[in-house]
Amino acid sequence: MSELRQAALESKAWPFEEARRLAKRYEKKAPEKGYVLFETGYGPSGLPHIGTFGEVLRTTMIRRAFEVISDIPTRLICFSDDMDGMRKIPGNVPNQERLKEDIQKPLTSVYDPFETHDSFGDHNNAMLRRFLDTFGFEYEFYSATEFYKSGQFDEVLKRAVDNYDDVMKVMLKSLREERAATYSIFLPIHPETGRVLYVPMKSVNKDDYTITFDDEDGKEWTLPVTGGNVKLQWKPDFGARWAALGVDFEMYGKDHSTNTPIYDRICEILGGKKPEHFTYELFLDDQGQKISKSSGNGISIDEWLTYASTESLSYFMFLKPKTAKRLYFDVIPKAMDEYHQQLRAYAEQDAKGRLANPVFHIHGHNVPASDMVVPFSMLLNLASVSGAEDKETLWGFIRRYAPEASPETNPQLDQAAGFAVRYYNDFVKPGKVFRAAEGIEIEALEALRDALKAYDGEESDEALQSVVYTIGRERFDPMKAWFSCLYEVLLGAKQGPRFGGFIALYGVQETVALIDRALAGEFVEG
């Protein structure tokens, strides 16, 4: 057994813990289908959002971990529930009035408000695939509409007819009395209006696999359950899909967790083996509310990628999936810097350490080296004091600080410099609040200025930090008050970088000028 596999079998990293649990499923007998099937589901009722990305990413991390500990082949299916009826109109799309005409139609029959695809479902599926492809996921895309209409679901739908009473019994236990009175697991697609109907069944016919019902106008219809004429309600659909495809693993958000016994039991009634599950906590916006596709709150994939790298987002998604996390713009700088800290650590780690490192789960066996000779948080501060409008301004400082660095040899740093300028101008600049120095702070800043003006030593992070620290130690207890003074008076921020490193990057004489301007009151309004 390889050193890596041995370490993986003992690793406490959550993807390996889940992979080992999944491997036990086939300890005694390999899967008859010849592979282990991972699935993620997507409801394309609104534009794809970052939670969907997180689900596919985390599933991929478990799939990758499984491939380290097992030789059984794997597949990943991304399944779009695009045959669902459009129950309400999303608030973040154009042409709202036109969409009203298509309420309750399957999403693949709804007008595309963006007018770029044949339907709203097709548009949202394309968006989903685009951003999955952006991140290089290996997956197979399945459309529910195609799955139902092509006949791939027919066998399981027939089994649902054969076992209708048993499946209904599972569902009725979970429903209020009023809903239970009219509930059916089958939702017919109206032959004339094309709408998904929520109507009670008059009969479910095992002899010819049809259903009979009255539509909203009282007209009786009989339709075959096969061929895309009928779809399943969403909870039975979950279990039926697992049975039809032979799904071995699916994760979903905490809001689904109470339904897990329902999904599992229906899967078993329809002849399948219930899959392994992983329930993750939900993402919250800046107000602590759950982010949702329809309201468009929180941060989108495109927004994150405007201000930070794809890898930093993957890093954020890896951390503590069973803890609710605030997913907003202020988490970006920390994610960027911590990702690169982990890249640097990876090179020196043994197999056990590497498998616990988030970057292994992001990159697999091809973990790159970090070329970030300046942290992202420092680039933000540099953008702030230099008023940078473009990354070339930052490179003027970077080259002096690290002469060997260049946009060509340090592409990650070059990309980060561009991100830093955008992030600073959009988020930091509007919220900057400077204050005037007072009392002992004025004396300390003057002393720092004079020490830097006379400084002729090595212009390294450590040497300059020593100068800053010495001046503060003589005047402040606790020292935190000195660094708060530096950040609030010179940078207009509540927190900031290691100040010696900042001076080394920004320049000694430039920092002298910065202190003079602050002491002269240039940064304080009115």
PDB file of all heavy atoms in Angstrom, residues 468-494:
ATOM      1  N   VAL A 468       9.513  50.320  14.503  1.00  0.00           N
ATOM      2  CA  VAL A 468       8.127  50.631  14.874  1.00  0.00           C
ATOM      3  C   VAL A 468       7.840  50.146  16.294  1.00  0.00           C
ATOM      4  O   VAL A 468       7.240  50.859  17.111  1.00  0.00           O
ATOM      5  CB  VAL A 468       7.136  49.969  13.879  1.00  0.00           C
ATOM      6  CG1 VAL A 468       5.698  50.181  14.325  1.00  0.00           C
ATOM      7  CG2 VAL A 468       7.329  50.524  12.472  1.00  0.00           C
ATOM      8  N   TYR A 469       8.277  48.939  16.594  1.00  0.00           N
ATOM      9  CA  TYR A 469       7.986  48.320  17.883  1.00  0.00           C
ATOM     10  C   TYR A 469       8.677  49.061  19.023  1.00  0.00           C
ATOM     11  O   TYR A 469       8.084  49.302  20.089  1.00  0.00           O
ATOM     12  CB  TYR A 469       8.427  46.852  17.855  1.00  0.00           C
ATOM     13  CG  TYR A 469       7.829  46.034  18.965  1.00  0.00           C
ATOM     14  CD1 TYR A 469       6.557  45.482  18.841  1.00  0.00           C
ATOM     15  CD2 TYR A 469       8.523  45.829  20.148  1.00  0.00           C
ATOM     16  CE1 TYR A 469       5.998  44.741  19.855  1.00  0.00           C
ATOM     17  CE2 TYR A 469       7.970  45.085  21.183  1.00  0.00           C
ATOM     18  CZ  TYR A 469       6.700  44.550  21.032  1.00  0.00           C
ATOM     19  OH  TYR A 469       6.137  43.824  22.050  1.00  0.00           O
ATOM     20  N   THR A 470       9.937  49.442  18.800  1.00  0.00           N
ATOM     21  CA  THR A 470      10.702  50.135  19.842  1.00  0.00           C
ATOM     22  C   THR A 470      10.020  51.444  20.236  1.00  0.00           C
ATOM     23  O   THR A 470       9.867  51.761  21.429  1.00  0.00           O
ATOM     24  CB  THR A 470      12.134  50.407  19.359  1.00  0.00           C
ATOM     25  OG1 THR A 470      12.773  49.150  19.085  1.00  0.00           O
ATOM     26  CG2 THR A 470      12.941  51.158  20.406  1.00  0.00           C
ATOM     27  N   ILE A 471       9.584  52.203  19.248  1.00  0.00           N
ATOM     28  CA  ILE A 471       8.928  53.488  19.528  1.00  0.00           C
ATOM     29  C   ILE A 471       7.616  53.263  20.264  1.00  0.00           C
ATOM     30  O   ILE A 471       7.280  53.963  21.219  1.00  0.00           O
ATOM     31  CB  ILE A 471       8.721  54.273  18.218  1.00  0.00           C
ATOM     32  CG1 ILE A 471      10.076  54.802  17.739  1.00  0.00           C
ATOM     33  CG2 ILE A 471       7.715  55.400  18.389  1.00  0.00           C
ATOM     34  CD1 ILE A 471      10.090  55.307  16.325  1.00  0.00           C
ATOM     35  N   GLY A 472       6.867  52.252  19.877  1.00  0.00           N
ATOM     36  CA  GLY A 472       5.596  51.982  20.537  1.00  0.00           C
ATOM     37  C   GLY A 472       5.774  51.475  21.949  1.00  0.00           C
ATOM     38  O   GLY A 472       5.031  51.876  22.863  1.00  0.00           O
ATOM     39  N   ARG A 473       6.747  50.592  22.146  1.00  0.00           N
ATOM     40  CA  ARG A 473       6.951  49.977  23.461  1.00  0.00           C
ATOM     41  C   ARG A 473       7.282  51.018  24.531  1.00  0.00           C
ATOM     42  O   ARG A 473       6.913  50.874  25.696  1.00  0.00           O
ATOM     43  CB  ARG A 473       8.073  48.949  23.368  1.00  0.00           C
ATOM     44  CG  ARG A 473       8.265  48.116  24.639  1.00  0.00           C
ATOM     45  CD  ARG A 473       9.320  47.063  24.406  1.00  0.00           C
ATOM     46  NE  ARG A 473      10.538  47.668  23.895  1.00  0.00           N
ATOM     47  CZ  ARG A 473      11.491  47.001  23.225  1.00  0.00           C
ATOM     48  NH1 ARG A 473      11.339  45.723  22.962  1.00  0.00           N
ATOM     49  NH2 ARG A 473      12.576  47.617  22.812  1.00  0.00           N
ATOM     50  N   GLU A 474       7.959  52.090  24.104  1.00  0.00           N
ATOM     51  CA  GLU A 474       8.349  53.143  25.061  1.00  0.00           C
ATOM     52  C   GLU A 474       7.169  54.007  25.488  1.00  0.00           C
ATOM     53  O   GLU A 474       7.249  54.718  26.492  1.00  0.00           O
ATOM     54  CB  GLU A 474       9.435  54.033  24.431  1.00  0.00           C
ATOM     55  CG  GLU A 474      10.760  53.312  24.199  1.00  0.00           C
ATOM     56  CD  GLU A 474      11.718  54.131  23.336  1.00  0.00           C
ATOM     57  OE1 GLU A 474      11.304  55.232  22.864  1.00  0.00           O
ATOM     58  OE2 GLU A 474      12.853  53.682  23.121  1.00  0.00           O
ATOM     59  N   ARG A 475       6.058  53.948  24.731  1.00  0.00           N
ATOM     60  CA  ARG A 475       4.969  54.907  24.968  1.00  0.00           C
ATOM     61  C   ARG A 475       3.596  54.278  25.191  1.00  0.00           C
ATOM     62  O   ARG A 475       2.679  54.962  25.677  1.00  0.00           O
ATOM     63  CB  ARG A 475       4.875  55.875  23.772  1.00  0.00           C
ATOM     64  CG  ARG A 475       6.134  56.740  23.612  1.00  0.00           C
ATOM     65  CD  ARG A 475       6.126  57.461  22.269  1.00  0.00           C
ATOM     66  NE  ARG A 475       7.261  58.383  22.171  1.00  0.00           N
ATOM     67  CZ  ARG A 475       8.488  58.012  21.825  1.00  0.00           C
ATOM     68  NH1 ARG A 475       8.736  56.741  21.521  1.00  0.00           N
ATOM     69  NH2 ARG A 475       9.464  58.907  21.773  1.00  0.00           N
ATOM     70  N   PHE A 476       3.399  53.019  24.797  1.00  0.00           N
ATOM     71  CA  PHE A 476       2.050  52.438  24.829  1.00  0.00           C
ATOM     72  C   PHE A 476       2.012  51.128  25.607  1.00  0.00           C
ATOM     73  O   PHE A 476       2.903  50.291  25.500  1.00  0.00           O
ATOM     74  CB  PHE A 476       1.543  52.166  23.401  1.00  0.00           C
ATOM     75  CG  PHE A 476       1.309  53.397  22.584  1.00  0.00           C
ATOM     76  CD1 PHE A 476       2.340  53.936  21.810  1.00  0.00           C
ATOM     77  CD2 PHE A 476       0.078  54.031  22.579  1.00  0.00           C
ATOM     78  CE1 PHE A 476       2.132  55.068  21.043  1.00  0.00           C
ATOM     79  CE2 PHE A 476      -0.141  55.167  21.809  1.00  0.00           C
ATOM     80  CZ  PHE A 476       0.895  55.695  21.044  1.00  0.00           C
ATOM     81  N   ASP A 477       0.986  50.997  26.404  1.00  0.00           N
ATOM     82  CA  ASP A 477       0.696  49.750  27.093  1.00  0.00           C
ATOM     83  C   ASP A 477      -0.825  49.643  27.220  1.00  0.00           C
ATOM     84  O   ASP A 477      -1.435  50.438  27.946  1.00  0.00           O
ATOM     85  CB  ASP A 477       1.360  49.705  28.472  1.00  0.00           C
ATOM     86  CG  ASP A 477       1.162  48.354  29.150  1.00  0.00           C
ATOM     87  OD1 ASP A 477       0.847  47.380  28.427  1.00  0.00           O
ATOM     88  OD2 ASP A 477       1.315  48.296  30.379  1.00  0.00           O
ATOM     89  N   PRO A 478      -1.507  48.791  26.475  1.00  0.00           N
ATOM     90  CA  PRO A 478      -0.931  47.744  25.636  1.00  0.00           C
ATOM     91  C   PRO A 478      -0.453  48.275  24.272  1.00  0.00           C
ATOM     92  O   PRO A 478      -0.883  49.341  23.830  1.00  0.00           O
ATOM     93  CB  PRO A 478      -2.105  46.774  25.442  1.00  0.00           C
ATOM     94  CG  PRO A 478      -3.309  47.668  25.479  1.00  0.00           C
ATOM     95  CD  PRO A 478      -2.982  48.749  26.485  1.00  0.00           C
ATOM     96  N   MET A 479       0.387  47.466  23.620  1.00  0.00           N
ATOM     97  CA  MET A 479       0.925  47.853  22.313  1.00  0.00           C
ATOM     98  C   MET A 479      -0.161  47.930  21.234  1.00  0.00           C
ATOM     99  O   MET A 479       0.007  48.598  20.215  1.00  0.00           O
ATOM    100  CB  MET A 479       1.994  46.846  21.884  1.00  0.00           C
ATOM    101  CG  MET A 479       3.331  47.078  22.550  1.00  0.00           C
ATOM    102  SD  MET A 479       4.142  48.565  21.888  1.00  0.00           S
ATOM    103  CE  MET A 479       4.722  47.928  20.323  1.00  0.00           C
ATOM    104  N   LYS A 480      -1.242  47.234  21.479  1.00  0.00           N
ATOM    105  CA  LYS A 480      -2.345  47.253  20.497  1.00  0.00           C
ATOM    106  C   LYS A 480      -2.790  48.685  20.206  1.00  0.00           C
ATOM    107  O   LYS A 480      -3.191  49.012  19.080  1.00  0.00           O
ATOM    108  CB  LYS A 480      -3.519  46.423  21.031  1.00  0.00           C
ATOM    109  CG  LYS A 480      -4.672  46.282  20.068  1.00  0.00           C
ATOM    110  CD  LYS A 480      -5.800  45.448  20.677  1.00  0.00           C
ATOM    111  CE  LYS A 480      -6.973  45.357  19.713  1.00  0.00           C
ATOM    112  NZ  LYS A 480      -8.117  44.627  20.313  1.00  0.00           N
ATOM    113  N   ALA A 481      -2.740  49.556  21.210  1.00  0.00           N
ATOM    114  CA  ALA A 481      -3.159  50.961  21.027  1.00  0.00           C
ATOM    115  C   ALA A 481      -2.257  51.677  20.026  1.00  0.00           C
ATOM    116  O   ALA A 481      -2.712  52.544  19.264  1.00  0.00           O
ATOM    117  CB  ALA A 481      -3.138  51.681  22.372  1.00  0.00           C
ATOM    118  N   TRP A 482      -0.967  51.324  19.998  1.00  0.00           N
ATOM    119  CA  TRP A 482      -0.023  51.942  19.054  1.00  0.00           C
ATOM    120  C   TRP A 482      -0.351  51.520  17.613  1.00  0.00           C
ATOM    121  O   TRP A 482      -0.408  52.355  16.707  1.00  0.00           O
ATOM    122  CB  TRP A 482       1.395  51.539  19.437  1.00  0.00           C
ATOM    123  CG  TRP A 482       2.519  51.860  18.491  1.00  0.00           C
ATOM    124  CD1 TRP A 482       3.538  51.030  18.134  1.00  0.00           C
ATOM    125  CD2 TRP A 482       2.809  53.110  17.825  1.00  0.00           C
ATOM    126  NE1 TRP A 482       4.418  51.647  17.288  1.00  0.00           N
ATOM    127  CE2 TRP A 482       3.995  52.946  17.082  1.00  0.00           C
ATOM    128  CE3 TRP A 482       2.170  54.349  17.785  1.00  0.00           C
ATOM    129  CZ2 TRP A 482       4.558  53.956  16.302  1.00  0.00           C
ATOM    130  CZ3 TRP A 482       2.725  55.371  17.006  1.00  0.00           C
ATOM    131  CH2 TRP A 482       3.896  55.165  16.282  1.00  0.00           C
ATOM    132  N   PHE A 483      -0.613  50.237  17.438  1.00  0.00           N
ATOM    133  CA  PHE A 483      -0.909  49.783  16.080  1.00  0.00           C
ATOM    134  C   PHE A 483      -2.281  50.283  15.618  1.00  0.00           C
ATOM    135  O   PHE A 483      -2.467  50.609  14.440  1.00  0.00           O
ATOM    136  CB  PHE A 483      -0.791  48.257  15.994  1.00  0.00           C
ATOM    137  CG  PHE A 483       0.641  47.803  16.124  1.00  0.00           C
ATOM    138  CD1 PHE A 483       1.094  47.207  17.289  1.00  0.00           C
ATOM    139  CD2 PHE A 483       1.547  48.025  15.109  1.00  0.00           C
ATOM    140  CE1 PHE A 483       2.415  46.820  17.432  1.00  0.00           C
ATOM    141  CE2 PHE A 483       2.879  47.652  15.220  1.00  0.00           C
ATOM    142  CZ  PHE A 483       3.323  47.043  16.396  1.00  0.00           C
ATOM    143  N   SER A 484      -3.232  50.396  16.536  1.00  0.00           N
ATOM    144  CA  SER A 484      -4.526  50.989  16.174  1.00  0.00           C
ATOM    145  C   SER A 484      -4.330  52.428  15.716  1.00  0.00           C
ATOM    146  O   SER A 484      -4.966  52.889  14.753  1.00  0.00           O
ATOM    147  CB  SER A 484      -5.486  50.950  17.368  1.00  0.00           C
ATOM    148  OG  SER A 484      -5.846  49.629  17.668  1.00  0.00           O
ATOM    149  N   CYS A 485      -3.459  53.152  16.397  1.00  0.00           N
ATOM    150  CA  CYS A 485      -3.149  54.533  16.004  1.00  0.00           C
ATOM    151  C   CYS A 485      -2.593  54.570  14.583  1.00  0.00           C
ATOM    152  O   CYS A 485      -3.047  55.365  13.752  1.00  0.00           O
ATOM    153  CB  CYS A 485      -2.142  55.140  16.992  1.00  0.00           C
ATOM    154  SG  CYS A 485      -1.266  56.594  16.374  1.00  0.00           S
ATOM    155  N   LEU A 486      -1.628  53.705  14.280  1.00  0.00           N
ATOM    156  CA  LEU A 486      -1.023  53.677  12.947  1.00  0.00           C
ATOM    157  C   LEU A 486      -2.072  53.401  11.869  1.00  0.00           C
ATOM    158  O   LEU A 486      -2.116  54.081  10.833  1.00  0.00           O
ATOM    159  CB  LEU A 486       0.080  52.615  12.891  1.00  0.00           C
ATOM    160  CG  LEU A 486       1.331  52.887  13.737  1.00  0.00           C
ATOM    161  CD1 LEU A 486       2.237  51.659  13.765  1.00  0.00           C
ATOM    162  CD2 LEU A 486       2.085  54.104  13.212  1.00  0.00           C
ATOM    163  N   TYR A 487      -2.937  52.408  12.118  1.00  0.00           N
ATOM    164  CA  TYR A 487      -3.934  52.036  11.112  1.00  0.00           C
ATOM    165  C   TYR A 487      -4.979  53.136  10.933  1.00  0.00           C
ATOM    166  O   TYR A 487      -5.335  53.507   9.802  1.00  0.00           O
ATOM    167  CB  TYR A 487      -4.638  50.727  11.501  1.00  0.00           C
ATOM    168  CG  TYR A 487      -3.708  49.555  11.702  1.00  0.00           C
ATOM    169  CD1 TYR A 487      -3.959  48.605  12.694  1.00  0.00           C
ATOM    170  CD2 TYR A 487      -2.574  49.389  10.908  1.00  0.00           C
ATOM    171  CE1 TYR A 487      -3.108  47.531  12.890  1.00  0.00           C
ATOM    172  CE2 TYR A 487      -1.715  48.320  11.104  1.00  0.00           C
ATOM    173  CZ  TYR A 487      -1.992  47.399  12.099  1.00  0.00           C
ATOM    174  OH  TYR A 487      -1.143  46.342  12.289  1.00  0.00           O
ATOM    175  N   GLU A 488      -5.481  53.680  12.043  1.00  0.00           N
ATOM    176  CA  GLU A 488      -6.585  54.641  11.975  1.00  0.00           C
ATOM    177  C   GLU A 488      -6.131  56.021  11.507  1.00  0.00           C
ATOM    178  O   GLU A 488      -6.847  56.701  10.775  1.00  0.00           O
ATOM    179  CB  GLU A 488      -7.271  54.742  13.346  1.00  0.00           C
ATOM    180  CG  GLU A 488      -7.995  53.456  13.739  1.00  0.00           C
ATOM    181  CD  GLU A 488      -8.446  53.439  15.194  1.00  0.00           C
ATOM    182  OE1 GLU A 488      -8.356  54.498  15.846  1.00  0.00           O
ATOM    183  OE2 GLU A 488      -8.879  52.366  15.672  1.00  0.00           O
ATOM    184  N   VAL A 489      -4.946  56.428  11.897  1.00  0.00           N
ATOM    185  CA  VAL A 489      -4.452  57.775  11.548  1.00  0.00           C
ATOM    186  C   VAL A 489      -3.815  57.793  10.163  1.00  0.00           C
ATOM    187  O   VAL A 489      -4.029  58.726   9.381  1.00  0.00           O
ATOM    188  CB  VAL A 489      -3.440  58.261  12.617  1.00  0.00           C
ATOM    189  CG1 VAL A 489      -2.812  59.590  12.195  1.00  0.00           C
ATOM    190  CG2 VAL A 489      -4.121  58.406  13.967  1.00  0.00           C
ATOM    191  N   LEU A 490      -3.048  56.740   9.827  1.00  0.00           N
ATOM    192  CA  LEU A 490      -2.311  56.744   8.551  1.00  0.00           C
ATOM    193  C   LEU A 490      -3.041  56.025   7.421  1.00  0.00           C
ATOM    194  O   LEU A 490      -2.880  56.396   6.255  1.00  0.00           O
ATOM    195  CB  LEU A 490      -0.937  56.086   8.743  1.00  0.00           C
ATOM    196  CG  LEU A 490      -0.007  56.726   9.777  1.00  0.00           C
ATOM    197  CD1 LEU A 490       1.309  55.970   9.826  1.00  0.00           C
ATOM    198  CD2 LEU A 490       0.240  58.200   9.463  1.00  0.00           C
ATOM    199  N   LEU A 491      -3.852  55.003   7.741  1.00  0.00           N
ATOM    200  CA  LEU A 491      -4.494  54.200   6.690  1.00  0.00           C
ATOM    201  C   LEU A 491      -6.011  54.349   6.639  1.00  0.00           C
ATOM    202  O   LEU A 491      -6.647  53.884   5.690  1.00  0.00           O
ATOM    203  CB  LEU A 491      -4.149  52.713   6.874  1.00  0.00           C
ATOM    204  CG  LEU A 491      -2.652  52.359   6.897  1.00  0.00           C
ATOM    205  CD1 LEU A 491      -2.487  50.853   7.089  1.00  0.00           C
ATOM    206  CD2 LEU A 491      -1.965  52.809   5.616  1.00  0.00           C
ATOM    207  N   GLY A 492      -6.597  54.976   7.657  1.00  0.00           N
ATOM    208  CA  GLY A 492      -8.055  55.127   7.666  1.00  0.00           C
ATOM    209  C   GLY A 492      -8.771  53.806   7.815  1.00  0.00           C
ATOM    210  O   GLY A 492      -9.864  53.604   7.277  1.00  0.00           O
ATOM    211  N   ALA A 493      -8.147  52.876   8.562  1.00  0.00           N
ATOM    212  CA  ALA A 493      -8.719  51.537   8.711  1.00  0.00           C
ATOM    213  C   ALA A 493      -8.658  51.101  10.172  1.00  0.00           C
ATOM    214  O   ALA A 493      -7.844  51.599  10.949  1.00  0.00           O
ATOM    215  CB  ALA A 493      -7.957  50.545   7.834  1.00  0.00           C
ATOM    216  N   LYS A 494      -9.511  50.149  10.542  1.00  0.00           N
ATOM    217  CA  LYS A 494      -9.530  49.647  11.916  1.00  0.00           C
ATOM    218  C   LYS A 494      -8.419  48.634  12.163  1.00  0.00           C
ATOM    219  O   LYS A 494      -7.990  48.423  13.294  1.00  0.00           O
ATOM    220  CB  LYS A 494     -10.881  48.992  12.228  1.00  0.00           C
ATOM    221  CG  LYS A 494     -12.012  49.995  12.383  1.00  0.00           C
ATOM    222  CD  LYS A 494     -11.816  50.833  13.644  1.00  0.00           C
ATOM    223  CE  LYS A 494     -12.959  51.828  13.838  1.00  0.00           C
ATOM    224  NZ  LYS A 494     -12.665  52.763  14.945  1.00  0.00           N
TER     225      LYS A 494
END
